Amino acid sequence: MEPGATAALKGNWGWPAWVGWLFLVLFGSFIGYTLFIRLLHEIGASRAGAFAFVSPVIAVVLGIITYGEEVSLIDIIGMAIMLFAAFLALRERKQETSSASPPLIPRSARADGRI
């Protein structure tokens, strides 16, 4: 067993760990999960899942701001690709209707009785 594992199993974490755990339970689980399910219902799975493309970029920007992390050109290119993917997932699609293609008619509605 790792050092401190027994104390961790007993819940002897100290107040900073308990506050962190409570924050993750409230915001990361209850509120976050509820909001995500609401997004799934309102805007659909592909659009709600676009956060997976945006959140790493936000994490990198926060790392730059708070800790002065360095970012290379390949990192910037990767973030641009991820943001473009989120844009593609979130953009509105135009419904294309063509007068050249005949409308779909159910088989049961055909006048000649062919299947």
Side-chain angles (χ1 to χ4, degrees):
M1 294 188 75
E2 292 185 32
T6 306
L9 289 174
K10 292 179 181 177
N12 299 334
W13 299 348
W15 72 267
W18 278 108
V19 170
W21 177 82
L22 185 63
F23 177 83
L24 289 174
V25 167
L26 288 178
F27 292 100
S29 295
F30 294 146
I31 294 172
Y33 183 75
T34 303
L35 289 174
F36 185 69
I37 294 300
R38 183 72 180 175
L39 277 175
L40 285 175
H41 177 72
E42 295 291 326
I43 65 174
S46 63
R47 295 182 77 194
F51 83 93
F53 295 108
V54 178
S55 60
V57 176
I58 294 170
V60 170
V61 170
L62 287 174
I64 292 169
I65 292 170
T66 58
Y67 294 110
E69 293 180 357
E70 295 183 16
V71 179
S72 68
L73 178 63
I74 195 73
D75 296 329
I76 294 170
I77 292 170
M79 287 186 287
I81 291 171
M82 292 173 72
L83 289 175
F84 185 67
F87 166 75
L88 290 176
L90 294 175
R91 70 186 171 111
E92 294 291 325
R93 292 186 213 147
K94 295 179 183 178
Q95 294 289 339
E96 294 184 25
T97 57
S98 173
S99 59
S101 61
L104 297 176
I105 301 172
R107 292 179 184 180
S108 61
R110 289 188 180 172
D112 60 3
R114 292 185 300 150
I115 294 179

